[in-house]
């Protein structure tokens, strides 16, 4: 029973920090991505983020925010494409 209480407390802490558990769940993947891209981000090699409108919007906006924190003056276009559409 104590273990369940601890799990519930951890869940509440995560939700309080991130507001939604889904955002907390993508944190490890984003940390891994930023670690892999860190050198190129610091060198300003990226100037565009292209993302899927539906599933990629939130991770892309988080990535954009992180890049802008690392390189505040970086010109960074961000585009969202609706999947299933032909352009």
């Amino acid at each position: 029973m104590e273990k369940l209480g601890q799990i519930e407390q951890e869940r509440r802490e995560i939700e309080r920090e991130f507001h939604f558990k889904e955002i907390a769940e993508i944190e490890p993947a984003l940390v891994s991505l930023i670690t892999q891209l860190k050198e190129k981000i610091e060198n300003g090699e990226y100037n565009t983020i292209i993302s899927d409108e539906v599933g990629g919007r939130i991770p892309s906006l988080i990535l954009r925010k992180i890049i802008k924190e690392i390189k505040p003056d970086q010109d960074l276009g961000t585009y969202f494409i609706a999947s299933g559409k032909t352009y």
Side-chain angles (χ1 to χ4, degrees), residues 2-62:
E2 185 177 316
K3 180 74 172 169
L4 288 175
Q6 181 182 359
I7 291 171
E8 180 63 22
Q9 177 64 29
E10 289 174 6
R11 183 193 64 77
R12 275 189 249 130
E13 288 174 12
I14 287 171
E15 287 181 359
R16 182 175 36 246
E17 182 178 347
F18 292 101
H19 301 290
F20 299 99
K21 71 178 177 99
E22 292 81 6
I23 300 299
E25 291 171 355
I26 66 172
E27 182 186 22
L30 283 168
V31 169
S32 176
L33 178 65
I34 295 300
T35 301
Q36 293 174 48
L37 301 177
K38 183 180 178 193
E39 188 176 320
K40 290 185 177 191
I41 291 170
E42 289 173 342
N43 292 334
E45 294 185 36
Y46 297 108
N47 63 6
T48 305
I49 296 174
I50 299 174
S51 176
D52 174 54
E53 174 68 34
V54 178
R57 178 170 280 273
I58 291 173
S60 297
L61 291 173
I62 294 170

Side-chain angles (χ1 to χ4, degrees), residues 57-78:
R57 178 170 280 273
I58 291 173
S60 297
L61 291 173
I62 294 170
L63 177 61
R64 176 184 169 79
K65 182 173 180 150
I66 292 168
I67 292 173
K68 293 299 272 183
E69 285 182 18
I70 294 170
K71 298 286 286 183
D73 297 332
Q74 179 75 24
D75 183 23
L76 189 61
T78 306

